[in-house]
Amino acid sequence: MLEIKDLHATVEGSEILKGITLTINPGEVHAIMGPNGAGKSTLSAVLAGRDGYEVTQGSITFDGKDLMEMEVEERAQAGLLMGFQYPVEIPGVKNIYLLKSALNAQRAAQGLDEMPAPEFMKLIKEKISFMKMDSSFLHRAVNEGFSGGEKKRNEILQMLVLQPKLALLDEIDSGLDIDAMKVVAEGVNSLRDENRAILMVTHYQRLLNHITPDQVHVLIDGRIAKSGDRHLAEELEARGYEWVIEEPAA
Amino acid sequence: MATEAMEQLARREYKQGFVTDIESDTVPPGLDESVIAFISEKKGEPQWMLDWRLEAYHQWLKMTSPSWAHLDYPPIDYQAISYFSAPKKPEDRPQSLDEVDPKLLETYEKLGIPLHERAALAGVAVDAVFDSVSVTTTFRERLAEAGVIFCSISEAIREYPELVRQYLGSVVPQGDNYFAALNSAVFTDGSFVYIPEGVTCPMELSTYFRINAANTGQFERTLIVCDKRAQVSYLEGCTAPQRDENQLHAAVVELVALEDAYIKYSTVQNWYPGDEDGKGGIYNFVTKRGDCRGDRSRISWTQVETGSAITWKYPSCLLRGNDSKGEFYSVAVTNGRQQADTGTKMIHIGKNTSSTIVSKGIAAGKSNQSYRGLVKVSPRATGSRNFTQCDSLLIGDKCGAHTFPYQEIGNSRSTIEHEATTSKIGDDQLFYCKSRGISEEDAVSMIVNGFCKDVFQELPMEFAVEAEALLSVTLEGSVG
Ligand SMILES: Nc1ncnc2c1ncn2[C@@H]1O[C@H](COP(=O)(O)OP(=O)(O)O)[C@@H](O)[C@H]1O
Ligand SMILES: [Mg+2]
């Protein structure tokens, strides 16, 4: 589904990603861990297509297509969706309006008509109650005045509505109390199926207690220093990152 | 954000530009007493009206064009302007739509204003102004039943001279400012509305202003009087054909609200802003003022300003009655090389008066805009309140937004609150929307409409829809 080969990327002239190779198959959940400043958010930003990140070498293929040739919105329409670490506030734009526009943009890209209003409302009601959010959130401005936890739930709500093929989650657990973390994790887990994949970026192992990854990668200084199964996460939790750096790259 | 895409904002073409070819009966360019006499004569005006015009003219001669606004434009040659133009035979005015020049109807079609449909469907009375003379007026009977007078100002001068004489210039005196003085001398048309005591106008009143004859200044004069406990909602909208010469527009709007009366005046302004270099756009110097003359009266201005090369406009309220209320809700969008200096004045004179100002400025391209707001509370206006919210949104980094709030508070028993923000349309906001699959164009329009929501919700329903569409048209071409 996603194939990253020898990816190098620079931000403002300095190289942050220094040769990342990673393959994610349908049905898999991958976690990327690593110390602060390792390049985890840079990797998600490059995948989502944020301005200011320049790919200098390597390739990214998504569903057989060259991702670098696709605009930000095309990536989303094709099913690559990013859950933000710091979702922005958009004053005056109702949450439900954003959801509807996003869903219909995706449908238009697939050659489908807009979803009829009753069907849309039914879908939204179901998803919002799954996320244990009050329906008043639909009529509030996007993320405006939301607490950190509410913003994260709102990100997952969007995922549940848009049903991405590949969900990209950057520090989706940061700022969450344990209850909110459970709700968010349940939301993410409900996305899991054999046709979908998830790439989570996280600092801490605790999220991985709730969302069990198939593979864990340790990103250090722009390179994947080590990969393993979920036990690697536990080992990192216990021993920190230092020992990985000292070992030769996997 | 993709800056090159944003820059395309400045390169969008004016969507509603076209020229209708109707033969005009135009006086040669230039202004002197004989031109004013010609206008007055053409309009069949009584002597007092001509005297009033001439008085204004003499005051104007002694005045100079204001230079305090944050605007930059070449001096206007008032002798190069033609002050009167009318369809060829004014006495052959069409009595119904069937008699209206099909070309004019076509013009309305292009503007998306199918007059008959619109009037019939929306229950809106339309007094369409074309080349300085009203060519069609509908729904007169229904309004007459309610005792409402809605006609052209020229007709009002002939038919209701007492009312006009009593109120004309009572809010904006002839010598109020340079442009108002010019307007008083040469105004050619506009609307007159009178709502009698206790009457709520049975429909929204609407006038579409058009500028059409090349090189003809347009001087509209609108007077709305709401008697005790009366109410009216008035809609003004305008667009202009694409052309090459700068056109001066200096309108005056006067509103009078007596005891417990309520006037809601809404404007969507979309005049030709000029080409990429600002060439050919409309110069719009407008004096709009409402007088809350009676106790508990209320005047509300709502405006969406997207057009014109230059806008100079400060709809204001004189809060003279005790417990009277003034409101100003404004969205101003500038793009390309447009310049706008707009704002409002709230003059608190009566006790316990209150005013609300919500101003949303959006600047894109190389445009420049200023908000200028005066809140003045006189010593006897105790217990008065003002709330001002003034937000600017910048699109791209070649535009500018400036805020000039002035406050003169004459007593300590009044409350004034002022909030102001300036933000750039966030790269982050745009990226967020796009990463949800929403196109840049839709994302910009979504964010901008969200920014303007507080003002749009003050507009009458169908105008709100038009305003949103207008913003989308304005922002069209933002995708590379
Ligand atoms: N927009 C940016 N401008 C300059 N430097 C950046 C930018 N984004 C990231 N960096 C730098 O790139 C490195 C990796 O950052 P990031 O990807 O955010 O790390 P992580 O998410 O793993 O903590 C850091 O040294 C950071 O300072
Ligand atoms: Mg990070």
Side-chain angles (χ1 to χ4, degrees), chain B residues 61-272:
Chain B
L61 284 177
K62 289 184 223 128
M63 300 169 91
T64 50
S65 188
S67 57
W68 44 264
H70 199 89
L71 300 171
D72 179 25
Y73 58 96
I76 297 164
D77 181 359
Y78 293 93
Q79 296 304 333
I81 293 169
S82 175
Y83 290 86
F84 187 83
S85 123
K88 208 177 179 186
K89 289 176 196 140
E91 65 275 16
D92 292 342
R93 272 172 63 140
Q95 303 307 306
S96 79
L97 278 174
D98 310 337
E99 297 171 39
V100 169
D101 187 321
K103 265 197 186 159
L104 176 57
L105 294 178
E106 221 177 274
T107 303
Y108 284 123
E109 294 291 337
K110 282 191 213 165
L111 283 170
I113 311 160
L115 191 56
H116 42 295
E117 261 178 51
R118 202 190 161 80
L121 287 175
V124 171
V126 178
D127 176 8
V129 174
F130 179 71
D131 262 23
S132 317
V133 169
S134 302
V135 291
T136 180
T137 304
T138 48
F139 287 109
R140 292 285 287 276
E141 288 82 15
R142 223 179 119 190
L143 292 172
E145 258 171 54
V148 170
I149 302 171
F150 177 40
C151 61
S152 75
I153 192 90
S154 306
E155 189 180 341
I157 290 165
R158 291 190 303 268
E159 306 291 325
Y160 312 99
E162 277 73 37
L163 275 175
V164 175
R165 241 183 136 161
Q166 185 182 349
Y167 291 107
L168 187 74
S170 73
V171 187
V172 180
Q174 287 138 298
D176 185 82
N177 67 70
Y178 189 79
F179 301 109
L182 180 63
N183 174 288
S184 301
V186 303
F187 71 86
T188 42
D189 223 319
S191 301
F192 175 75
V193 176
Y194 175 76
I195 316 286
E197 205 171 317
V199 170
T200 296
C201 188
M203 61 189 78
E204 271 163 350
L205 302 181
S206 165
T207 302
Y208 285 92
F209 291 91
R210 308 256 309 128
I211 301 177
N212 217 295
N215 210 18
T216 301
Q218 185 99 4
F219 302 93
E220 304 289 346
R221 185 96 196 183
T222 296
L223 174 59
I224 299 176
V225 180
C226 235
D227 216 320
K228 293 175 188 167
R229 301 186 317 284
Q231 292 195 16
V232 68
S233 169
Y234 189 88
L235 315 175
E236 173 203 49
C238 44
T239 81
Q242 187 156 1
R243 59 181 57 258
D244 214 359
E245 260 156 294
N246 282 310
Q247 287 186 306
L248 174 66
H249 185 93
V252 172
V253 176
E254 295 180 280
L255 311 181
V256 181
L258 302 185
E259 267 171 48
D260 298 291
Y262 175 30
I263 302 176
K264 184 175 174 63
Y265 193 104
S266 312
T267 309
V268 172
Q269 188 268 109
N270 181 25
W271 280 336
Y272 182 51

Side-chain angles (χ1 to χ4, degrees), chain B residues 263-387:
Chain B
I263 302 176
K264 184 175 174 63
Y265 193 104
S266 312
T267 309
V268 172
Q269 188 268 109
N270 181 25
W271 280 336
Y272 182 51
D275 64 14
E276 277 178 53
D277 300 319
K279 201 171 163 223
I282 304 294
Y283 289 8
N284 190 27
F285 299 94
V286 185
T287 305
K288 284 184 165 172
R289 195 173 303 153
D291 186 353
C292 285
R293 207 164 281 183
D295 292 349
R296 296 169 305 278
S297 57
R298 177 176 168 202
I299 288 178
S300 176
W301 297 102
T302 306
Q303 60 173 30
V304 177
E305 300 278 321
T306 67
S308 298
I310 291 182
T311 303
W312 181 96
K313 182 175 181 183
Y314 318 89
S316 304
C317 295
L318 295 172
L319 302 168
R320 295 208 284 177
N322 294 331
D323 302 291
S324 61
K325 254 191 203 155
E327 291 157 54
F328 174 74
Y329 301 98
S330 169
V331 166
V333 188
T334 52
N335 200 345
R337 291 185 186 270
Q338 280 179 285
Q339 304 174 58
D341 197 298
T342 67
T344 185
K345 287 182 221 166
M346 293 291 173
I347 314 293
H348 295 252
I349 300 163
K351 289 188 202 314
N352 303 315
T353 48
S354 65
S355 60
T356 304
I357 299 171
V358 178
S359 162
K360 304 278 179 176
I362 300 149
K366 292 178 181 159
S367 69
N368 242 302
Q369 62 171 266
S370 304
Y371 167 82
R372 205 176 288 279
L374 169 68
V375 177
K376 184 172 177 171
V377 180
S378 79
R380 61 167 290 258
T382 52
S384 292
R385 278 167 297 143
N386 164 264
F387 172 74

Side-chain angles (χ1 to χ4, degrees), chain A residues 131 152-160 172 184 187-188:
Chain A
M131 288 312 292
K152 294 296 171 66
R153 282 188 207 205
N154 203 35
E155 291 295 288
I156 304 301
L157 173 67
Q158 295 178 11
M159 298 262 172
L160 297 190
I172 199 69
V184 163
V188 175

